[in-house]
Amino acid sequence: MQFVSTRAEAPVLGFSDVLLQGLARDGGLYVPTEWPQFSPEEIRALRGLSYAEAAFVIMRPFIDEDISDADLKSIIDGSYGTFRHQATCPLVQTGPSEFVLELFHGPTLAFKDVAMQFLARIMDHVLEKRGERVTIAGATSGDTGGAAIDAFAGAKRADVFIMFPHNRVSPVQQRQMTTSKADNVHAIAVEGNFDDCQALVKSMFNDHGFRDQIGLSGVNSINWARIMAQTVYYFTAAVSLGAPDREISFTVPTGNFGDIFAGYAAKRMGLPIGRLIIATNSNDILARTLATGRYETRGVVATMSPSMDIQVSSNFERLLFEATGRDAAEVRACMESLKQSGSFTIPEAALERIREEFAAGRADEEETARTIRETLEASGYLADPHTATALKVARELAQPGETMVVLSTAHPAKFPQAVEDASGINPALPAWLEGIMTAEERFTVLPSDLKMVEDHIIRHSRTESRE
Ligand SMILES: Cc1ncc(COP(=O)(O)O)c(C=O)c1O
Ligand SMILES: N[C@@H](CCOP(=O)(O)O)C(=O)O
């Protein structure tokens, strides 16, 4: 399988190169040249498979043959062996036709583990074969960072630098990033918000001198492998509920648009998905965009669902590419306008296509807290604030006869204060994480300044130039 950049000015690459590149050299994001297709019979055949077995079937078409079936299976088994639930990503029924898909049974209690555990293992496999090393730079609003630090801790062929917004992540999220004892992982608290962190990462990729000097790689959802691994749970959830013989809709708490884009990808691969519903918190740029056709950034506000406090939603570029009929010139124009003025207008035909596939809604702070409380009272289910955002939107937009799966992207114990304030229950951290709240922290505070962050990375990276 080959991959093209959404801006069409970077080389077309195979899977292993895309995996190591992260962002394309033209600033775009890689997508497959064509979507692999699964027939109804092939989807039906996923019934009864374990999560790992299904992951192999769904991801195999994307991955070069030079990674053998046996190696891929062993990478997948190792990845999902770290999950603390037999089903890996179980479904819980919370209403007559409402199901919560729990994606937080991995080591760091967030959905990021599903892709990150796989990414670390497959990257290590490719690097080992090639005899190469990489320096990974990642931006996080709280969960990607912890997941990456856990998955790559001690990796021999990767140094990892994670930038998080100083004082804007939950205490549990921060400590998952700052208490690792591994010397190849580094947490940087950036004086700014998540969008500043993500802009720093993208600027590093676009600084080709720096990129080549340190062998830069990325583990944010700019990396296609993250999206690919996230398509799997759309298949397993839908199949458990009767797909392909029944259409399933999904509501997804959304920030960087990676998770819901994985749902869109699953649909393009043949999974009968009804609606894909974008749920945002008060940072509702995506809900406004769907309503008005204009993507317009505003100041970001801090919420009880900090991982979604995002304005520049990087995977929206992938959707734009698809919705414009893969018109890279149109994508480049929109992205240039976003850079220059903080906004762009979606071409009319593309907007229509987006509205055919997606709906969107928002939940403010009060609505999110009320949803946590009401869900607990009605079904005994304790949701984290990100999940509650999606539950609120799913219930508001539900249509008669629709079977709705709401993605639960984090364990409530990652956000104990918000959950306790809303429900009166203080969710305990699982035993294996208890120590992090008292362990010594190690992180560096830096201003949101490209040169200063690059210098810091160069000083601490063990990766030498690829040239
Ligand atoms: C707990 C949680 N929920 C939802 C999201 C939003 O997901 P995405 O950025 O893929 O839209 C994130 C961050 O990515 C998250 O950490
Ligand atoms: N919400 C994310 C932000 C980064 O998203 P990613 O999916 O692109 O890695 C986080 O928790 O870090």
Side-chain angles (χ1 to χ4, degrees):
M1 164 100 33
Q2 296 287 99
F3 295 81
V4 287
S5 163
T6 49
R7 302 194 190 174
E9 290 181 337
V12 174
L13 298 176
F15 176 81
S16 297
D17 288 317
V18 164
L19 173 74
L20 298 184
Q21 288 263 324
L23 197 68
R25 285 186 89 83
D26 59 2
L29 280 75
Y30 277 106
V31 291
T33 46
E34 69 218 30
W35 297 102
Q37 291 303 304
F38 288 84
S39 67
E41 292 68 39
E42 286 167 322
I43 294 172
R44 220 170 272 121
L46 296 172
R47 288 180 188 161
L49 297 191
S50 69
Y51 188 87
E53 287 166 340
F56 175 80
V57 174
I58 293 155
M59 295 197 289
R60 178 74 270 186
F62 291 106
I63 297 174
D64 309 333
E65 291 303 322
D66 61 355
I67 300 178
S68 70
D69 282 0
D71 285 342
L72 184 57
K73 278 186 183 148
S74 141
I75 288 167
I76 292 173
D77 287 346
S79 307
Y80 299 118
T82 64
F83 278 58
R84 261 89 170 179
H85 195 289
Q86 289 278 338
T88 307
C89 300
L91 277 170
V92 178
Q93 188 159 9
T94 47
S97 48
E98 179 188 276
F99 298 81
V100 168
L101 176 58
E102 291 186 340
L103 302 171
F104 55 69
H105 292 282
T108 70
L109 311 182
F111 81 101
K112 307 290 177 170
D113 291 323
V114 179
M116 203 65 81
Q117 289 291 321
F118 172 76
L119 196 68
R121 284 171 175 76
I122 195 159
M123 253 194 191
D124 191 55
H125 178 86
V126 171
L127 290 169
E128 183 75 36
K129 258 171 103 171
R130 294 185 174 189
E132 287 180 13
R133 296 182 48 83
V134 286
T135 301
I136 291 167
T140 188
S141 52
D143 290 322
T144 293
I149 282 177
D150 178 275
F152 284 91
K156 292 200 177 50
R157 298 189 169 273
D159 291 314
V160 178
F161 294 84
I162 296 296
M163 280 145 266
F164 68 90
H166 194 26
N167 294 327
R168 285 176 184 244
V169 298
S170 84
V172 175
Q173 288 179 314
Q174 172 158 331
R175 286 177 163 275
Q176 285 180 323
M177 293 186 272
T178 58
T179 58
S180 173
K181 299 219 167 7
D183 61 5
N184 69 320
V185 298
H186 309 265
I188 303 172
V190 173
E191 290 170 327
N193 58 34
F194 168 76
D195 292 315
D196 298 321
C197 298
Q198 182 154 259
L200 283 169
V201 169
K202 287 199 171 175
S203 301
M204 285 176 210
F205 274 103
N206 292 328
D207 177 352
H208 289 182
F210 173 77
R211 178 178 181 148
D212 295 334
Q213 182 185 347
I214 62 158
L216 189 62
S217 191
V219 294
N220 278 108
S221 54
I222 53 176
N223 192 319
W224 170 256
R226 280 273 314 276
I227 306 292
M228 175 188 75
Q230 290 173 211
T231 62
V232 174
Y233 46 72
Y234 285 90
F235 278 91
T236 57
V239 166
S240 319
L241 294 173
D245 304 307
R246 185 188 194 190
E247 202 174 74
I248 308 294
S249 293
F250 289 86
T251 303
V252 186
T254 302
N256 230 358
F257 210 78
D259 210 5
I260 197 158
F261 189 81
Y264 172 83
K267 188 168 184 180
R268 295 294 301 267
M269 290 157 71
L271 187 67
I273 290 180
R275 292 186 304 158
L276 286 161
I277 301 183
I278 301 164
T280 72
N281 63 21
S282 308
N283 297 294
D284 60 354
I285 183 162
L286 291 166
R288 283 187 282 116
T289 302
L290 247 76
T292 64
R294 201 156 158 71
Y295 191 103
E296 202 151 32
T297 53
R298 290 183 188 158
V300 75
V301 296
T303 70
M304 70 173 98
S305 46
S307 305
M308 304 194 315
D309 293 349
I310 296 176
Q311 289 287 296
V312 182
S313 193
S314 71
N315 281 282
F316 200 74
E317 177 166 347
R318 284 189 166 113
L319 180 63
L320 210 52
F321 185 60
E322 295 300 319
T324 55
R326 300 201 155 195
D327 185 340
E330 196 71 75
V331 173
R332 286 198 300 272
C334 289
M335 291 304 125
E336 190 50 34
S337 166
L338 181 64
K339 196 164 139 197
Q340 298 300 332
S341 67
S343 63
F344 61 86
T345 301
I346 302 177
E348 200 50 50
L351 180 62
E352 236 171 76
R353 280 194 204 115
I354 291 173
R355 284 178 175 155
E356 278 164 19
E357 309 277 359
F358 294 87
R362 79 194 282 275
D364 65 22
E365 294 293 90
E366 214 235 292
E367 291 165 330
T368 304
R370 194 182 330 130
T371 305
I372 294 177
R373 203 163 43 246
E374 287 176 355
T375 305
L376 183 66
E377 283 162 9
S379 60
Y381 192 81
L382 188 62
D384 100 290
H386 303 77
T387 309
T389 303
L391 283 165
K392 185 263 175 187
V393 172
R395 288 168 190 168
E396 187 175 75
L397 301 188
Q399 291 176 346
E402 190 172 36
T403 301
M404 182 63 72
V405 172
V406 174
L407 269 55
S408 177
T409 48
H411 190 292
K414 287 194 98 162
F415 309 94
Q417 195 57 57
V419 172
E420 185 172 6
D421 290 349
S423 68
I425 293 180
N426 189 311
L429 274 177
W432 78 88
L433 283 173
E434 269 166 10
I436 63 168
M437 298 317 284
T438 48
E440 197 185 327
E441 289 193 275
R442 178 171 62 87
F443 64 101
T444 308
V445 181
L446 289 176
S448 176
D449 178 282
L450 180 62
K451 178 87 178 60
M452 287 179 77
V453 178
E454 285 187 347
D455 285 349
H456 177 84
I457 292 177
I458 288 170
R459 272 202 309 282
H460 293 89
S461 171
R462 295 169 303 173
T463 305
E464 283 159 19
S465 169
R466 274 179 176 163
E467 291 171 326

